[in-house]
Each structure stands twice: as C-alpha cells, then as structure tokens.
Amino acid sequence: LFGDSLGGMAAQRAAIQDSRVAAAVMLHPPACPWHAVEKTISASIVSKPAGLLINQAYGRDMMAAGDIRKYDGHPAHRPKVLYIMGTSDRFDIQETRKVYDHWYNGIPATWNVAPNAAPLENNWFIAVDGAVHPDRADVYTIMDWPGFYPVLDGFINLVLSDR
C-alpha cells in the first residue's frame, strides 16, 4: 500500500489489520483521525464538533476506529512499514511517531535509517529535516529531499526481494 497524508493514515490501519498487506509506505500521515481534524481545522472548538459529525455520518466511532493504537501492535502477518515525514509538517511528527512506535510491541523502532541500511528490520521512520506538508507548491517537501527516491526504491526492492 502507498498512502499520502490522510491516505497514509488509512494505509497504516489497513496494514496493521489486513494480513494480505505485505508492506505499506506512509508519507506525512497524521497520527490518527482526531490529529488530522485538529490540525486541519484551525480552531479546536470547531474540530471536536467536526469529529463528532464524522462519527454521526458513518453511524459509528470512525474517529477511534482509524487510530491503530487501538489494535494489536504486533500483527501476526508482520508487514514492512515505511514512514517518511518532514520535521516541520503541520501534522506533528512526534504524534505520528507515537503511532509508529506502536508497531511490533517490544521491538525497537528503526529511526532515520534507510531500509537498505537495516534490511532485517520491518519498520522504518525517516524524518526529513525542514520538510513541510505539501499543501502549497512553493514549499520544501519530502519529495524535494534528495534522499526520497533512493529510500523509496530501497524499500520497494527490499519488499520485492522477500516475495
């Protein structure tokens, strides 16, 4: 799976729950649905009703269902996961890292090490210094970072070599 922004949040949920998912790449995802709503809707007084409206529209607690910390942090199928996020992203990188650290309970997370440099790991988180969320065309994003495509290629090659 490959998810960008809110799609990254959806990809992380699918990867932790669905045994058919062998690998997932998440680019600058929010930590969870509440994190996304709070950072997207500027006034916190508005974000709470917005989240509740989302739940009401779906007829169930979608905001909680999207938070992978509510699921087993050690899935039997052990997908490979790669997060790439800017340190200046509007979605707080430390909040997203808490979700990342939920993967594979008890196994230390691989932080700022490329997949091809740690091929025996299952999860990697790359923090790109100064990169922001790609809301506008005139900003430095993770895709502008020279290491983006080499890290992504290394991850894909690693996943394909395991098949």
Side-chain angles (χ1 to χ4, degrees):
L1 292 177
F2 189 94
D4 185 6
S5 192
L6 293 175
M9 186 178 59
Q12 68 190 4
R13 176 161 183 229
I16 206 166
Q17 284 197 295
D18 191 333
S19 62
R20 296 172 296 174
V21 177
V25 175
M26 282 76 68
L27 304 180
H28 38 73
C32 65
W34 282 110
H35 185 221
V37 168
E38 289 169 2
K39 296 298 180 177
T40 304
I41 301 172
S42 58
S44 62
I45 195 161
V46 177
S47 68
K48 184 80 170 162
L52 297 175
L53 285 172
I54 291 168
N55 286 344
Q56 184 178 6
Y58 280 93
R60 64 189 189 100
D61 192 353
M62 292 299 291
M63 299 300 286
D67 188 345
I68 69 164
R69 293 170 294 185
K70 300 198 181 305
Y71 300 94
D72 180 14
H74 195 76
H77 63 286
R78 300 180 57 78
K80 294 189 180 305
V81 294
L82 171 64
Y83 286 73
I84 305 176
M85 189 169 189
T87 59
S88 299
D89 199 286
R90 72 179 151 104
F91 295 132
D92 183 350
I93 194 168
Q94 294 309 320
E95 289 300 311
T96 299
R97 186 175 180 180
K98 289 176 189 174
V99 171
Y100 164 77
D101 286 341
H102 177 73
W103 288 89
Y104 309 127
N105 289 342
I107 299 172
T110 306
W111 181 257
N112 276 340
V113 176
N116 58 357
L120 301 179
E121 302 297 329
N122 277 335
N123 56 334
W124 302 266
F125 195 123
I126 306 294
V128 179
D129 230 7
V132 301
H133 207 79
D135 307 86
R136 303 183 330 255
D138 62 339
V139 295
Y140 176 68
T141 71
I142 59 175
M143 288 175 222
D144 297 319
W145 171 54
F148 177 74
Y149 292 104
V151 165
L152 189 58
D153 286 346
F155 178 76
I156 292 169
N157 288 329
L158 186 64
V159 170
L160 292 175
S161 71
D162 281 356
R163 302 306 284 156

